[in-house]
Each structure stands twice: as C-alpha cells, then as structure tokens.
Amino acid sequence: MAELNLKQITDKLNAEFAGDVRKLVFWYDAGAEFAGDVDALGLENAKVLHLAPDNQFYTKYFLECVDRETNYLVYAPFAKPALRENHLADTIRYSKEFFADRASLLCLDLGIGEQHKPVIQQYIKFFASRERTQRFYELELETWSRSTIETALMSVLCKSKTASFEEAVRCILTEDGLEDNKYLAELEKYGLLPAFWRHVEEAFGYSDPKPTLEKLVMACFATYAARSISAELPRAWKPFVTCKSGNIVAFLDHLMNSYLYADRFDALSALAYEALGAAGQLARLPVEALVGCCAFAGVDRRLIAWLRGRLESEDLDARLDGKSIPEICALRRRLHFGRQFRSEYFILENAFGIMAHGSYTPVSGIAEAVRQYIERDEAVDRHYRYFYLYFDRLENSADFERLRDLTENIYTNDYLNKQLVGWNRSFTEAIGKTGLPRQLDFYSRCVRTARERTVVIISDALRYEVGRTLFERLQADEKCTATLSAMQAVLPSYTRFGMAALLPHKRIELCPDLRVTVDGKPTDDLKQREAVLQAAQPNSRCLRFDDIRSMKVAELREIFTGQDVVYVYHNQIDARGDKASTENEVFAACEEAVDEIFALIKRLTVSANTIHYIITADHGFLYKRDKLQESDKIGGIPGAGRRFALSAQAVQADGVASLPLAAVTNAEDARNVYFPLGSDLFKAAGSGLNYVHGGSSPQELIIPLLDVKTEKGRRDTSVAQIALVSLTTKITNLITTLDFVQTEPVSDVVKETAYRLCFISDDNEKISNENIYLADKKDTDTAKRVFRLRFSFKNKKYDKGRKYYLVAFDDKNGLEALRQEIIMDIAFADDFGFGF
C-alpha cells in the first residue's frame, strides 16, 4: 500500500481515538486489502487486535474482562458476519465501526477521476501487496483511462519499469516459454488476462476465440514476412496476417536489432517458421520474392541453395531483384540472419570471384605478367584463400562439396597451371629479372637510410595478397599511414635464403647443404642474424615475435630504447604450413598473422615509442587443397626439394625450367636453380604436399613491402555522416520509403559507423520500425552512396498539431546524428488497416 494511503487511514483512526474515554473501533476488511498494512499503522493512542472467525468469544472476553482500559482497533480481514453468527454484535453496538475503501483512496492519491474508480475496483486484488502498489505508483502515469491503467498493471506484473504494453509483451515473449508462461499466469491471477488479449488485438490486430502465445507469434511473423515478400503471400498464411502490420514490424524490428533480445527473436522466428510450415510454403514462392525478407533463417537457406545452384552451373549472370550474386551475398550478410550464415555467403561470394576472374589470360613479357598479377590476379588467390577459410568453418560442408570441387578445378586448371606456365616462360626469358625491387637490396634501399627508429617485421611466408589484406587493415586505422609495394624474393624461395637476403650484406652465398652465409658469416639462427645486423648498424636488435608479445611495457621500453633498427621475426603462416598435420590450416594462419602484426604495430607505437615500421616476408607460398597425384610429380631430379633443385650438372626433364644461380646472387656460382614450369612438385622426401614454396611462381616470389607510419596522438577523424535525400516534409502513408546519402566516402580520416533510424513523436514515443544502416561505402561517386530505407508506422491516430521527427542515432555512442521534423498526415491510420 502506498504510504500516502496509510497516512490517510492513520490520521482518521487517530482522530477517532483522541480523548480520555476508552474507545473500541471495529474494522471489517472484506477483501483483506489492508491485512499486510494494519500493523504498520502509527496509532498514537490505541493498539491493534486481530480478529479471526474462530476467536470471537475470546476477543469478547479479552475486551470486556482482561483489558478494559486500552483503546483497540479490532481488525478483521473478512466480511462482517451475519447478526446470528456475530458474537460481538452487542460489543459493536457500543463501539464504532471503521470503513476504508482502498479503491477510493488510490484514486484520490493518484488523481484518478471518479469515472475510472470501477477499473481500480475491478483489479483491487492487485493492490493487496504494498510492493506491487508501490511499483504502480513509481510508473508515474500522467493520463488515466482503462487502457493506461491496465497497461500499468500489466507492466508491473511483467517487471517492466515503464508503462508500455509493447514492453510487457516483449517481457512475456522473451523471458519465459510460450507454454505455461509465468507472466500470463500472473495476469490471470489478478484478473488481467482478458485485458491482455484485448490489448493484443488493439496493438497487433491479433484476435482469436482461444488466443495463445504461439498463435500470437505466428500472426506476428506472418504479418512481418508479408511486408517484405514481394509476391502474393501463401494462402495458408493469410488468416494470420493482421491489420496492424506497422506495429508488428516496429515491435519485431526492436527485438531483432536488440543486443539483449536478438537471440530470443531467433528462437521465436524458428518456432513460427515451424508452426507456419514455412519451409513448404516459401518453396512455392519465386526465390526472387524473398531477397528482402529477413523474418526467417529458412529464407537464407533457400537463397543460399539457389545461389549455390547458379554457381554450380557457372551462371555468373544470374540476378535476383536486379542484384548480382556478390550483391545478394553482401546484402544478406547485412541483414539479421547474415551473422548465422556468414560463412556460407562468403563461400559463395569468393567462389563467384574465382569463377569470374579465374580464367587466366596470357600476357606477353615479364613486366606485363608482374603488372597483371599485382593489379588483377592476386585477387584470385585471395578469393581462393577466403573460400577455404570460410569453407573450413562450416560444421557440415556436404552441401558445398560439389561447389568446392568445381572451384578447386577452376583455380587449379583454368588459373594456376596456365598462369604459372606463362609466368615462368616470361621469367626465364628475362633471366629472372621481373623489374621489381629485389629482396637482396632491401636493407640498403629501405632500412639504411631511415631517419627514425625502424622496426622491420619479417613474417615468414607472408605472400603478396596476404600483405594486401594487412595493408587494407592498416589503411582503415586512423592512426596509421601505410603504403604497399611489391618486392621480388630470391630464388630458391625458401626461408634461410630469404631471411639472409633481408640482412645488410655485400656478398651472399648458398652452401651445398642450403645454409646461407652473408659476407662469409652464418645466418642460421637469431643470434647469427643479429651479429650481421649489428656489424652494419651497432644500435640494432633481432627479436622473435613470440618473445616480445607477452612482454610488459617496461621490458619493451628497455629493449627498444636506444635502438635505431629492430628486426622482429614473426612465424605464423610457415609454422603451420610446413607441417603435414596443420598445412590445411594455413589460410586460418594467414588471417591470424594479419591480426598479430596489426596488434604488434599498435602495441609498439604506444609502449615502445616507435612510429616507423616496414613489413615484408622471406618468401611466399603456393597452396592447393587437393593432393597431387603421382602423375603430377616430376621425378629424376637429383637433390630436389618440393619446388626447386640446385645442380651444377645439366638436368633435362619435361616441365622443368632453370636459371643460373649467379643471376640471383650476383656472385660466381656454377650451379643452376631448377624449378617446375607449372604448379607441379618434384619428387622428394618429406611430408606436406598442399603447402609448398621454394619455386618461382608469383605466389612464392612476389612478396609485399609495407611502409607504415603511426601516430601516437589521435588524428582528427570523423565518422561517415548521412543525410536525407528525399524531399519529404509530410508522411501520408503507413509505409514510406525514403532515400538517404552517405555524405562522404569512408577513408583514412572518415570512418565507417552504424546508424539506427526511426520516427519519433515530440514525447520520444517510437512510432515506426527501426532501420540499422552501416555507413561503410568507399565509392567516390556520390550516386553510389545513395541508399533507400523503408519505414512502417504504427496504426494510430496522428495529431497534425503535434511535432514528429525522423531521427538517426550513431549506434556506437548513442549520439543523435540527424533530426528532421516531419508532418504526420495519415488519413486512414485506424483499426481498418490499410497498407499491408
């Protein structure tokens, strides 16, 4: 009971007990409304005596024989008995009776008009609890009607802190099951269940002689789906579609886009999908009609199956609703269930990329071959890498096996084999000179002339296309300025040779056992490389990434202070690829390598006072998922590794090319380096056939060279802004489509962000669904940054005299980014429901 009610009762009773004459006051509380409050009354000149139906004689004896001096409030939590059964009737005749009408007191306290007292009286059982009553008071309603009172009562029972019917429904649907729902049981206990279903009909249009939560959910999702399916709805669903589609769309969008309730939305969607027989019903609709529907995960399964079928037929021109396969994949990833099918859509998108660009076009000359690889062909390798990265994440890949086989065949036979043969012919004709800067000149060209401390990060097997991924990651960071170029690794392209080539030297030699010396000094391990580096640059160090990744800030600063050059050796890709048991994890290792190098740069910038970084590799790699057959292995090459052989004797074999080693080292050496002309391997001892390096392919030989400058202080950056394009000042329909534009492209100083857009009233009531838009477009053409959103408005009467606004909030910080006043002039927004 609210304290104000108790005070009124207390004041009235204290007035009764005032004076020196003993008084007895009888209070028969027929509904036991005040049973929990009576002992808390602050009576100044009386005591409370509790009366029970079976202790009337004792009470009479007590009042007339035991204590004849004290004033008593005799409280009976039941109705006054009939005269024949009331043994205290004669005592009452010389005493007084007290009457308290809780409904009247509540109305008085809250300022509720007398006309609404019957509503309070109808649900008076609710107010028997002081806690429930206090929470009702705390809702602080300002307007009163049967609807607002019932909404407040339901909100309290559903543990909501605001008087909102939609929030009460949200609680009922998300915080308990649909069967034996504890909140519905509470509503029924206090007589509110009929009111709940009446409010459901008013808010969502769902009506049923025997309503259930399951059928309500079915109606909501059928109505929600109807708004985004661009075809006639299945006949079996039409009885479920309600006239309040705007309210339902707004309600489900709120659940779907909520960080707290998105998982429950998924569960409700799955339940509705099953109950509505959606799998069979949607199968009868044209797939094109489902492109914009995000009501069910089953829609994505249907679209994925269709897209997979088109790719298996190599139908690259296939379109749905005017969108290409990659555009559909990108769109569906941004929709709600895109997170659940992220891997499937990336598989399809990258399979498309391989098919679209995987047919190798021969070019003339090594310079053109280099240009084509850097500008075009490296993307095919990247598509292949991401295809398997996401393919390996599937829990069950059976449905994608046929597409995998096709993709593998195109990559290997149409792209890789043709590319490598053409490349190696041009490469040998040019006597190993590609025109790219040489790895052998790295120190003198890139490190020796650096003016500030430079950290050189050498990532083992970081091939060019992986380096481009790292470059794009660095570009997106506001504290980094990065440039990417290509460099030609040494041949044979293996670790010892590549690592030595990156050190300062005048002369480099390959020993018969494949060890490498620099100016006569060994370079096999970290200490030997550090000795070579310090001979040219005394203030320098060589470190392992694994040794410094867990160092504390003080340790990092101690190591880096006073150094001009620090070589950091990172080994994630080669460490996994070179083992037969983990070579199929190499693409996952590439992704981890990018993450680790990016994090290292960020950490050293802050903790080691370093702002200049050069990232490169010792060599690249070739990777194919399918194992080579024996017929694909070249035998008869003495002393061969998987992808190269060194020999002073002439070797004659089909499919083998060679170069004089002297052309690589610029030193006298009678040996030749032999390598497969295509993607084949030499027969050699050892494990591992999928991941290889050592040869002359562009994947092995072209390595990235990233030059990165970081800023310790924050750069002046901003997030991408949006603006309304449509010349709209008035909304005249329950469904409205508006055009917006991302005002600037995303760049190093303009960062992507997400916006939540909806319409609100001047008292902040949300009157439409909420759209989430990711402002991430990088197109410089403004027309390509225009986007369209559809809004569904609540079915209600709108006051032309009130103010309404279109608003957008930055999803990362909740700040308002856009507000535009709108006139709501919807003539037919009523229970008849136009526009579904």
Side-chain angles (χ1 to χ4, degrees), residues 85-97:
E85 299 173 2
N86 191 348
H87 304 293
L88 289 167
D90 58 338
T91 307
I92 295 172
R93 287 181 67 85
Y94 67 79
S95 304
K96 292 197 67 171
E97 284 190 77

Side-chain angles (χ1 to χ4, degrees), residues 231-249:
E232 185 176 356
L233 210 62
R235 181 178 301 176
W237 287 12
K238 289 183 178 180
F240 290 97
V241 177
T242 81
C243 62
K244 297 294 182 72
S245 57
N247 293 5
I248 288 175
V249 169

Side-chain angles (χ1 to χ4, degrees), residues 65 205 211 254 265 303 321 395 406 418 461 521 537 550 588 601 646 683 719 813 830:
C65 299
H254 173 73
F265 173 90
L303 287 168
D321 196 27
E395 292 184 7
L406 177 61
K418 293 179 180 179
K521 299 176 182 178
Q537 177 52 264
S550 58
I601 291 172
L646 293 173
K683 287 186 178 180
V719 296
N813 54 33
D830 55 27

Side-chain angles (χ1 to χ4, degrees), residues 638-752:
R642 291 292 187 196
R643 288 283 295 166
F644 73 94
L646 293 173
S647 176
Q649 306 298 321
V651 175
Q652 298 294 329
D654 292 336
V656 178
S658 67
L659 285 173
L661 188 57
V664 179
T665 62
N666 291 333
E668 291 186 8
D669 198 310
R671 292 173 293 177
N672 287 327
V673 54
Y674 293 89
F675 45 90
L677 194 62
S679 61
D680 300 337
L681 306 183
F682 291 147
K683 287 186 178 180
S687 60
L689 295 174
N690 295 50
Y691 170 91
V692 291
H693 59 86
S696 62
S697 70
Q699 291 82 359
E700 298 163 282
L701 210 59
I702 298 180
I703 56 175
L705 181 63
L706 289 93
D707 194 290
V708 181
K709 292 286 184 71
T710 59
E711 296 184 14
K712 294 194 68 177
R714 193 167 186 85
R715 296 182 66 182
D716 291 327
T717 62
S718 61
V719 296
Q721 300 293 312
I722 59 173
L724 180 64
V725 174
S726 301
L727 298 177
T728 301
T729 58
K730 183 183 293 186
I731 301 296
T732 59
N733 233 314
L734 285 175
I735 305 173
T736 298
T737 300
L738 298 176
D739 287 333
F740 299 79
V741 64
Q742 180 183 314
T743 57
E744 296 177 275
V746 168
S747 65
D748 58 338
V749 294
V750 178
K751 302 304 168 187
E752 71 177 51

